[in-house]
């Protein structure tokens, strides 16, 4: 109907449970099939060549089996199809490689935002070309032309068009036999089918086959159920905010990466002793928004009774086989979390993973002595990270004032003016070339870019205006800790109504000193804001005009700014230290998985 076909031949039926149209075949199939298996599971008919009950396996099998001998297909699939080790997944990949697969295109997580953040790939099938090729092409797209956040705003540097050209070139040359493993597309690589089949896994992750990198772990892989004595759901108890007999673990208790007892609730229900969490137990979020699915934390508290709540899966380690601290390190890796998410069944606002699916996930298992060495290495790196974070968390610029310095109201030395917001409903006001800054960008730094751009029409239709580069901005209101923060514009930009711009009136004040004095007065500004009360507990241009600051001579202002900048250069080094040592942790765990460490990639 949408494309004007007079007789479109659209038929609605259940391809997985009905055999009514099984004998129909197609020259071309494009599909983004459902990844979620429905409640109650699937009861497929018996004509599938792959015996499975996972919807993504069955749909891909159906498509591959229903191509004509010269048929082609493009299928979007979740990452489980690419690397899951269960029998059905391996059998499906083998069938695809043997009969139809010519290319795999890896897409970044987030391309289907705001509906889903799931990581996906595209399988390209061509039965004719697959017969003439002993290779499969792998491409990796990291930029599809849009940001990966919920707004999916256009960005530069898209790679889709280049992959399209490289894929076309690969397909063009297959028939002539020119393509071999030596081909090197800029955004991909070409791998012989023989190499893909080597260990029987038929893994379709292109990164696994890059030259010069060992991608197979030297340690054996074991299923989680082999090294954890218990993998179980929690108990459903009545909860309250008042003190009770037991604390109750819940999703919020692991939101910060560790078991946060302050976020537990309480219960007075009687529970069995085996429902109480013990030190070394690992809790994993299996019902949550997709982005937070798979978060985990290790419980280390002693002599505190905490009930294993209903929405977290609990892993009890067999300590003769696996060190709990090694296990939590593995659980926090990207590889493990992506495997967890590959089993996700999505509803409107959340996703979930079954305990039975988690039991079969495989992880690398070194000998227990090696595990302890890995844990000790990671703990050493973590101590450095924690020390650096302590510096960052506790550093605040301090300006000692002299009684001889006069106090001046900001309104006497600055023009203070807020901005505005163009009508969101009018598309002509957005996607222009004028940066538009909101309070979310104000964070004690130089603002060098904006998340949104408005047009000249949008500028003229609202109370916003172009604030010149070098102007100090303050967040007058906003959620959480935003209110009272300051930053300096590194670009000419418009601002919204929650931002205050400070335009200095004369040469008695320099922007750098104003920035540092207001940064040092953050807590006091919060008190001024809170004292207004109710809906007025924000700052305003008028309140800021009446706020007083010390005003030393210009030379002293310059020396104060220079001293603070020297301090902050040392503080900033701690950020670099954190980044470097986090990469060391990632590299250590990547080697355990048999993956290429990011640290080595950069070298």
């Amino acid at each position: 109907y949408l494309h004007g076909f007079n007789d479109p031949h659209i038929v609605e039926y259940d391809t997985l449970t009905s055999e009514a149209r099984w004998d129909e075949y197609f020259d071309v199939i494009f599909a983004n099939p459902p990844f979620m298996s429905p409640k109650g599971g699937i009861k497929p008919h018996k004509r599938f060549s792959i015996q499975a009950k996972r919807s993504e396996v069955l749909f891909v099998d159906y498509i591959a089996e229903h191509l004509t001998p010269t048929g082609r297909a493009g299928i979007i699939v979740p990452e489980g199809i690419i690397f899951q080790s269960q029998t059905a997944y391996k059998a499906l990949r083998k069938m695809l490689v043997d009969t139809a697969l010519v290319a795999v295109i890896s897409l970044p997580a987030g391309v289907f935002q705001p509906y889903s953040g799931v990581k996906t790939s595209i399988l390209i099938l061509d039965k004719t070309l697959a017969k003439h090729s002993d290779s499969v092409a792998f491409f990796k797209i990291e930029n599809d032309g849009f940001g990966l956040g919920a707004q999916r705003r256009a960005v530069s540097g898209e790679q889709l068009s280049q992959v399209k050209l490289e894929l076309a070139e690969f397909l063009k040359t297959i028939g002539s036999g020119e393509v071999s493993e030596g081909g090197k597309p800029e955004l991909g690589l070409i791998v012989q089918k023989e190499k893909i089949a080597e260990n029987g896994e038929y893994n379709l992750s292109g990164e696994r086959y890059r030259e010069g990198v060992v991608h197979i772990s030297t340690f054996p892989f074991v299923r989680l159920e082999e090294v954890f004595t218990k993998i179980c759901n929690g108990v459903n108890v009545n909860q309250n905010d008042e003190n009770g007999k037991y604390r109750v673990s819940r999703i919020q208790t692991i939101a910060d990466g560790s078991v946060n007892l302050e976020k537990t609730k309480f219960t007075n229900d009687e529970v069995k002793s085996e429902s109480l969490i013990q030190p070394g137990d690992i809790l994993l979020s299996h019902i949550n928004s997709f982005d937070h699915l798979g978060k985990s934390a290790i419980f280390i508290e002693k002599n505190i009774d905490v009930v294993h709540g209903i929405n977290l899966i609990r892993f009890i380690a067999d300590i003769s086989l696996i060190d709990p601290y090694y296990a939590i390190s593995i659980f926090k890796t990207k590889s493990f979390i992506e495997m967890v998410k590959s089993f996700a069944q999505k509803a409107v606002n959340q996703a979930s993973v079954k305990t039975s699916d988690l039991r079969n996930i495989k992880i690398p298992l070194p000998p227990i002595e090696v595990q302890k060495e890995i844990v000790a290495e990671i703990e050493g790196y973590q101590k450095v990270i924690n020390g650096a974070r302590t510096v960052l968390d506790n550093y605040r610029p301090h300006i000692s004032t002299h009684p001889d310095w006069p106090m001046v109201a900001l309104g006497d030395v600055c023009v203070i003016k807020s901005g505005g917001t163009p009508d969101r409903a009018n598309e002509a006001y957005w996607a222009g070339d004028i940066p538009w800054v909101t309070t979310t960008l104000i964070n004690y730094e130089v603002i060098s870019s904006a998340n949104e751009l408005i047009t000249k029409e949008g500028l003229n239709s609202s109370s916003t205006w172009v604030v010149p580069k070098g102007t100090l901005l303050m967040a007058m209101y906003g959620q959480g800790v935003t209110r009272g923060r300051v930053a300096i514009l590194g670009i000419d930009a418009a601002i919204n109504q929650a931002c205050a711009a400070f335009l200095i009136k004369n040469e008695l004040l320099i922007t750098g000193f104003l920035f540092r004095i207001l940064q040092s007065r953050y807590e006091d500004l919060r008190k001024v804001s809170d004292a207004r009360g109710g809906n007025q507990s924000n700052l305003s241009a008028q309140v800021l005009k009446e706020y007083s600051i010390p005003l030393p001579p210009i030379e002293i202002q310059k020396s104060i700014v220079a001293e603070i900048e020297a301090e902050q250069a040392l503080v900033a080094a701690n950020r670099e230290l954190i980044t470097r040592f986090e990469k060391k942790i990632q590299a250590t765990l990547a080697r355990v998985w048999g993956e290429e460490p990011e640290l080595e990639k950069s070298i």
Side-chain angles (χ1 to χ4, degrees):
Y1 177 82
L2 293 176
H3 292 278
F5 288 100
N6 294 323
D7 188 16
H9 298 290
I10 294 175
V11 179
E12 180 183 355
Y13 70 102
D14 184 343
T15 58
L16 303 186
T17 62
S18 171
E19 301 180 47
R21 310 182 77 89
W22 180 266
D23 294 325
E24 294 183 0
Y25 294 86
F26 305 90
D27 298 311
V28 178
I29 299 175
F30 288 120
N32 180 3
F35 301 160
M36 176 182 149
S37 297
K39 187 175 181 180
I42 299 172
K43 296 179 181 178
H45 56 73
K46 303 299 183 182
R47 298 187 68 175
F48 288 96
S49 63
I50 307 297
Q51 299 304 306
K53 292 190 177 181
R54 299 290 301 186
S55 61
E56 65 269 28
V57 175
L58 293 169
F59 277 121
V60 174
D61 180 16
Y62 184 92
I63 292 166
E65 292 197 57
H66 285 81
L67 291 175
T68 62
T70 58
R72 297 171 292 143
I75 318 167
I76 295 171
V77 297
E79 287 300 277
I81 293 292
I82 302 300
F83 62 78
Q84 280 295 347
S85 59
Q86 282 91 332
T87 301
Y89 289 93
K90 289 192 288 188
L92 176 67
R93 293 194 294 266
K94 181 180 187 305
M95 181 266 285
L96 293 174
V97 171
D98 289 345
T99 64
L101 186 69
V102 291
V104 180
I105 304 170
S106 173
L107 300 174
V111 295
F112 290 103
Q113 291 280 26
Y115 310 105
S116 172
V118 67
K119 171 79 173 70
T120 56
S121 292
I122 304 173
L123 304 182
I124 306 297
L125 311 184
D126 190 314
K127 285 199 168 182
T128 300
L129 294 180
K131 291 178 183 178
H132 300 288
S133 175
D134 62 357
S135 302
V136 174
F138 292 89
F139 299 93
K140 184 176 182 179
I141 291 175
E142 295 178 327
N143 181 348
D144 71 335
F146 298 89
L148 298 175
Q151 301 300 319
R152 294 286 281 151
R153 302 190 187 284
V155 296
S156 60
E158 64 86 15
Q159 298 169 318
L160 285 172
S161 54
Q162 183 175 340
V163 167
K164 180 181 177 182
L165 292 173
E166 293 183 0
L167 173 62
E169 181 64 24
F170 171 74
L171 298 179
K172 179 181 177 182
T173 56
I174 283 179
S176 64
E178 297 175 15
V179 177
S180 68
E181 191 176 355
K184 291 184 178 180
E186 185 176 340
L187 291 178
L189 68 159
I190 298 170
V191 182
Q192 288 186 337
K193 293 179 181 178
E194 182 180 358
K195 178 175 284 190
I196 298 172
E198 273 181 355
N199 62 1
E201 292 287 330
Y202 287 84
N203 191 293
L204 298 182
S205 174
E207 295 300 304
R208 189 180 184 91
Y209 303 107
R210 289 198 179 276
E211 295 178 0
V213 180
V214 177
H215 290 286
I216 300 176
S217 175
T218 56
F219 305 117
F221 278 70
V222 299
R223 294 191 304 275
L224 293 181
E225 65 180 3
E226 297 178 57
V227 291
F228 288 95
T229 59
K230 198 170 185 180
I231 303 173
C232 59
N233 292 304
V235 294
N236 194 8
V237 293
N238 294 305
Q239 299 181 39
N240 59 72
D241 294 322
E242 304 297 327
N243 285 338
K245 187 174 181 181
Y246 304 110
R247 293 176 181 268
V248 183
S249 71
R250 55 198 191 114
I251 287 174
Q252 291 83 350
T253 62
I254 65 170
D256 300 323
S258 60
V259 177
N260 187 340
L261 293 178
E262 293 181 2
K263 293 186 177 181
T264 54
K265 288 198 171 186
F266 295 88
T267 185
N268 285 309
D269 291 2
E270 291 299 326
V271 295
K272 296 179 180 179
S273 59
E274 57 261 33
S275 296
L276 298 179
I277 305 171
Q278 302 300 316
D281 290 353
I282 294 173
L283 302 176
L284 181 140
S285 170
H286 75 118
I287 300 176
N288 212 326
S289 66
F290 186 84
D291 289 343
H292 292 89
L293 199 67
K295 279 196 170 185
S296 58
I298 188 169
F299 186 73
I300 60 175
E301 305 294 338
K302 296 180 180 179
N303 303 318
I304 296 178
D305 290 336
V306 180
V307 177
H308 174 201
I310 192 68
N311 285 335
L312 295 171
I313 290 180
R314 178 182 174 197
F315 293 79
I316 302 176
D318 180 343
I319 59 174
S320 68
L321 297 175
I322 190 166
D323 184 290
Y325 291 93
Y326 167 78
I328 190 62
S329 296
I330 290 294
F331 276 33
K332 289 183 177 295
T333 60
K334 182 179 179 182
S335 296
F336 181 84
I337 293 171
E338 285 185 350
M339 282 195 286
V340 171
K341 289 183 175 181
S342 72
F343 289 109
Q345 300 186 46
K346 297 185 290 299
V348 176
N349 295 318
Q350 66 179 16
S352 62
V353 176
K354 296 178 181 177
T355 307
S356 56
D357 286 331
L358 293 176
R359 293 177 185 277
N360 290 311
I361 288 179
K362 289 185 176 181
I363 62 171
L365 188 73
I368 195 74
E369 297 80 9
V370 176
Q371 293 178 40
K372 292 183 182 299
E373 290 174 4
I374 292 169
V375 169
E377 181 182 352
I378 291 173
E379 286 180 346
Y381 296 146
Q382 192 62 50
K383 286 178 181 178
V384 175
I385 292 170
N386 293 343
R389 282 185 176 150
T390 299
V391 173
L392 292 174
D393 291 342
N394 290 281
Y395 172 76
R396 297 288 184 275
H398 177 73
I399 299 176
S400 298
T401 58
H402 194 279
D404 292 342
W405 295 349
M407 299 294 292
V408 297
L410 286 172
D412 292 339
V413 289
C414 299
V415 173
I416 303 174
K417 186 178 177 183
S418 62
T421 302
D423 182 2
R424 286 282 187 184
N426 193 327
E427 294 183 3
Y429 294 164
W430 299 89
D433 57 4
I434 302 172
W436 185 71
V437 170
T438 64
T439 57
T440 57
L441 299 177
I442 298 178
N443 191 19
Y444 302 123
E445 295 177 349
V446 174
I447 299 173
S448 56
S449 63
N451 297 329
E452 298 182 277
L453 302 171
I454 63 174
T455 62
K456 188 174 181 180
E457 291 80 5
L459 182 74
N460 295 333
S461 72
S462 70
S463 58
T464 193
W465 52 291
V466 175
V467 182
K469 175 181 177 181
T471 302
L472 183 138
L473 300 182
M474 178 183 286
M476 293 190 293
Y477 47 91
Q479 296 179 345
V481 297
T482 303
R483 185 168 21 109
R485 283 180 171 175
V486 288
I488 294 178
L489 268 180
I491 52 175
D492 293 341
I495 59 175
N496 78 347
Q497 62 274 16
C499 300
F502 292 71
L503 303 173
I504 296 174
K505 291 180 179 180
N506 52 49
E507 297 178 355
L508 297 177
L509 176 67
I510 62 173
T511 303
F513 179 76
L514 179 61
F515 175 64
R516 297 306 177 188
I517 195 68
L518 291 177
Q519 182 182 13
S520 70
R521 295 292 187 89
Y522 170 74
E523 297 296 341
D524 189 53
L525 285 163
R526 295 284 295 194
K527 291 177 182 177
V528 170
S529 174
D530 292 340
R532 303 186 71 204
N535 294 330
Q536 300 297 319
S537 60
N538 293 312
L539 298 168
S540 69
Q542 186 57 42
V543 169
L544 293 173
K545 288 176 184 178
E546 297 170 1
Y547 188 80
S548 294
I549 62 168
L551 189 67
I554 287 293
E555 290 305 316
I556 294 179
Q557 292 182 39
K558 291 179 179 179
S559 65
I560 289 172
V561 171
E563 176 65 23
I564 292 176
E565 287 178 350
E567 292 175 358
Q568 294 207 321
L570 296 173
V571 172
N574 283 276
R575 293 191 181 92
E576 175 65 20
L577 199 63
I578 290 171
T579 300
R580 286 179 176 273
F581 276 78
E582 284 179 340
K583 284 186 177 181
K584 286 180 180 290
I585 292 175
Q586 293 165 8
T588 298
L589 293 170
R591 294 188 191 98
V592 175
W593 278 103
E595 299 169 345
E596 180 182 4
E598 288 190 13
L599 193 65
E600 293 178 5
K601 283 182 185 177
S602 64
I603 294 172

